[in-house]
Amino acid sequence: MRKSWPYAVVMMLVLLGVPRVLHHFIPDPRQVQMMFPVVLLVLLVPAALYFLPRYRRSKKLTDEGLQLLSEGRVAAALERFEAARPLAKVQVVPTYNIGITQLQLWRLPTAGRELSSLESRKDLTPQFRAVLSTALALVDALEGRLARVESRLAEAKSQVDFPLGLAPLASAVVACREGRWAEARALLGDASLENLTGPLRGLRNALEAWCVEQLTGERRPVDAIALFGEASQDSLQAAWPEFVDHVVKHAAAPLSLSAVTPEEASVGR
């Protein structure tokens, strides 16, 4: 994500500055030429020994977080991503991962802040900016800021020529909020949504069941545990009470402590 020119500038300053410093203390040019590689090595080795293990640790934590996220262990994934961010060479990807994970815990204001913090960066590729805009569009849709959604999605789609997985989901949320049930159901059938996992897949399935009932009267059970995962239903209730009420009424199994965070579960003990 980051351009390479800052590193080139630093290296140029080192290459130009070190000889000048050596000339100041060592008048003989031949001795300066002999000392220059030694001084450069002395400067670079400690830096490498400090930064490289941090970068490797950050990547390891990120990989673990992605694996946990694919398994639906969202809270554990968030811990890994938060630990990876201060160690990362560039904090763009860890911040995005944190935002997406907060989204799947339905902490929408926090997710929006994390993702929005990346918008002003100048070093994002068009592809990454499109993915970011799509994620923000979903947050806006869930929080009811419908006017922003289509503009974000239009901007995202103009930058890439590949399907954006969250785009149909964001548009479907808008359609459901506006009562366009047939359109919403068609959007939820988009092939790109088949790759969703965890709470986002739970959201897609719950919305589809809602659409079917509105269109045909068929009452379908909703897997509320898949939707809420490790989050409290209250976190989504504040943003979209009608949807959460529908989920609770149609839950295939009563919500239990498995659908809340460990901290929330311990409060009532």
Side-chain angles (χ1 to χ4, degrees), residues 1-28:
M1 296 295 172
R2 176 174 287 184
K3 297 178 181 177
S4 59
W5 66 264
Y7 299 102
V9 170
V10 171
M11 288 303 299
M12 185 178 296
L13 291 174
V14 170
L15 293 174
L16 293 176
V18 170
R20 289 179 177 273
V21 172
L22 290 175
H23 274 299
H24 180 75
F25 293 100
I26 306 173
D28 188 347

Side-chain angles (χ1 to χ4, degrees), residues 126-183:
Q127 293 80 7
F128 187 88
R129 191 171 293 280
V131 171
L132 175 64
S133 295
T134 306
L136 282 165
L138 179 56
V139 174
D140 286 336
L142 289 168
E143 291 199 299
R145 294 186 294 271
L146 306 187
R148 296 186 187 180
V149 177
E150 290 308 318
S151 61
R152 286 193 187 279
L153 293 180
E155 178 188 359
K157 292 173 183 176
S158 69
Q159 294 176 333
V160 297
D161 57 359
F162 55 83
L164 293 163
L166 296 182
L169 188 59
S171 294
V173 170
V174 174
C176 287
R177 279 184 171 275
E178 295 180 344
R180 294 181 279 114
W181 302 105
E183 181 182 344

Side-chain angles (χ1 to χ4, degrees), residues 14 45 55 65 69 72 102 126 140 160 162 171-172 178 197 205 212 216 218 262:
V14 170
V45 168
Y55 299 158
L69 201 58
Q102 294 282 15
D140 286 336
V160 297
F162 55 83
S171 294
E178 295 180 344
T197 61
N205 293 342
V212 169
T216 68
E218 177 189 350

